[in-house]
Amino acid sequence: MSKKSNLVKGIFLGSSTAAIIAVVNKILFVRATSKKLLAREEHGVYTWRFGDIFYTKTGEGKPLLLIHDLVTASSGQEWNKLVKKLSQSHSVYTIDLLGCGRSQKPNLTYTNFLYVQLLTDFIKSVIGRRTDVAASGSSCSFVITACNNNAELFDKIILINPDSLLKCGQIPNRYTKIYKFLIDLPVIGTLIYNIANSRRCITEKFLTVNYSDPCKIEPETISFCHEASHLGDSGAKALYSSIKGNYTKLSICHALKKIDNSIFIIGGECEKEIEQTIAEYTDLNAAVESEILKKSSHLPHMEIPEDTIKIINDFLSL
């Protein structure tokens, strides 16, 4: 067989493989979003310059903004077990961050500064006055930085299992940039994303990271997260590549040391190195208070909502 024939055959096989993978990717997206679970809530839309932002508002009183963890499977749904009771004494806002859940997911590089500006603009334009804020996981760094830049917008701050200072300070390097490049590829990158955000992988994360008690994981919770990660033409792939590339990280040491807001950290007993992380935050800002919730891990507000609500209400009522 001639070299030309081999080349033609190779091109044909490569094209066929790419077409098959593209079809598989499309099927996975359709299956993940077919139930339309996240379309049930009444909501508002904040038209931001980088895309429309989905949010909800419930209750009356001093505003309280709830910000979910920055992961591709997350959304404002993360706070649903708390909203009803918190709204008895607050105007409770939940937000789907850009690239997450029901908000738009533009194909761009997501950075810490992008989310800092989003929170600042959202509070100014939608809430319109100084607000208490509760955030979880990697989103905690956005709140600290935004508060340092615009202290007049923030009152009391609650951080649930924030990233360690070392993790916050990670920067893009050669290896993370290569991985980001691979994920950004249109066919293979989408397949990598779909595998990482499959129902099986999301369930595994809940079993090993998010919850301490597997019996408390509800199938509908997994369905909500699975759908959130796949909404939009390519899901949250651009966000996923930005997270893996360390573009959403930013050192908060200076900001944490400088701000004088009341800060309370809620940690899950089974969260990895949470006591060390709390000690790091307290060393930089002696005003930081904290409490460890037993029988919980990364998402105590989902796993043991009653205990979490009590701490939040006690702190906000001081």
Side-chain angles (χ1 to χ4, degrees):
M1 188 178 288
S2 67
K3 291 183 178 180
K4 185 176 181 180
S5 296
N6 286 332
L7 178 60
V8 171
K9 184 177 181 181
I11 293 173
F12 175 75
L13 290 175
S15 300
S16 298
T17 301
I20 291 170
I21 294 174
V23 170
V24 170
N25 286 333
K26 183 65 176 178
I27 292 172
L28 291 174
F29 276 112
V30 171
R31 288 183 62 184
T33 59
S34 61
K35 293 182 180 179
K36 302 186 184 302
L37 298 172
L38 291 169
R40 299 174 181 174
E41 289 183 297
E42 293 185 8
H43 64 278
V45 174
Y46 168 47
T47 303
W48 195 44
R49 61 181 179 275
F50 290 108
D52 289 344
I53 304 300
F54 177 102
Y55 73 93
T56 66
K57 179 188 177 185
T58 309
E60 299 292 337
K62 185 179 180 183
L64 170 62
L65 175 60
L66 305 178
I67 306 166
H68 62 80
D69 193 5
L70 188 71
V71 293
T72 51
S74 192
S75 68
Q77 181 75 23
E78 182 180 303
W79 300 97
N80 271 20
K81 293 182 179 179
L82 275 66
V83 169
K84 185 175 181 180
K85 288 194 174 181
L86 289 174
S87 64
Q88 293 174 2
S89 54
H90 295 84
S91 293
V92 179
Y93 294 81
T94 68
I95 183 174
D96 285 9
L97 295 172
L98 190 74
C100 297
R102 295 147 290 192
S103 290
Q104 284 193 311
K105 301 176 179 180
N107 185 20
L108 49 78
T109 297
Y110 293 79
T111 67
N112 185 290
F113 294 106
L114 178 79
Y115 288 112
V116 168
Q117 194 59 57
L118 169 58
L119 296 183
T120 301
D121 292 345
F122 184 83
I123 294 174
K124 286 181 178 178
S125 302
V126 178
I127 299 178
R129 57 189 176 121
R130 197 175 190 191
T131 182
D132 296 324
V133 177
S136 73
S138 297
S139 295
C140 295
S141 64
F142 312 150
V143 176
I144 295 296
T145 305
C147 179
N148 181 54
N149 294 344
N150 294 273
E152 72 281 359
L153 300 179
F154 296 82
D155 198 357
K156 294 182 177 181
I157 296 173
I158 299 165
L159 309 177
I160 299 179
N161 287 315
D163 286 345
S164 69
L165 297 181
L166 178 62
K167 187 174 181 180
C168 289
Q170 292 175 343
I171 60 174
N173 57 47
R174 178 184 176 185
Y175 301 103
T176 63
K177 288 178 180 178
I178 291 174
Y179 192 35
K180 183 181 186 301
F181 172 78
L182 290 174
I183 299 169
D184 285 336
L185 292 174
V187 178
I188 297 299
T190 302
L191 181 62
I192 293 173
Y193 175 81
N194 284 335
I195 293 171
N197 290 272
S198 65
R199 187 180 182 90
R200 180 177 178 179
C201 286
I202 291 171
T203 301
E204 182 66 19
K205 186 171 182 180
F206 268 84
L207 288 168
T208 59
V209 177
N210 291 343
Y211 278 35
S212 65
D213 184 355
C215 295
K216 292 185 177 180
I217 301 174
E218 301 166 345
E220 189 178 52
T221 297
I222 304 300
S223 297
F224 274 114
C225 293
H226 191 214
E227 181 176 306
S229 66
H230 288 83
L231 287 174
D233 293 336
S234 58
K237 192 179 81 162
L239 172 61
Y240 182 72
S241 70
S242 298
I243 292 172
K244 291 299 182 181
N246 288 337
Y247 289 91
T248 58
K249 303 290 193 300
L250 178 70
S251 175
I252 61 170
C253 293
H254 174 73
L256 180 61
K257 191 173 184 178
K258 186 177 177 183
I259 63 177
D260 60 1
N261 299 63
S262 296
I263 302 174
F264 197 100
I265 296 178
I266 299 175
E269 181 184 28
C270 299
E271 175 79 352
K272 187 178 180 180
E273 298 179 350
I274 185 59
E275 292 185 355
Q276 179 181 334
T277 297
I278 291 174
E280 292 173 352
Y281 279 64
T282 305
D283 285 344
L284 284 181
N285 191 323
V288 173
E289 301 175 83
S290 65
E291 184 168 339
I292 302 292
L293 282 174
K294 295 186 180 298
K295 299 180 181 180
S296 68
S297 194
H298 188 65
L299 299 173
H301 44 304
M302 295 181 70
E303 185 174 11
I304 49 172
E306 295 297 331
D307 295 335
T308 308
I309 287 173
K310 185 178 185 307
I311 292 177
I312 291 175
N313 277 331
D314 287 349
F315 176 65
L316 295 180
S317 64
L318 293 176

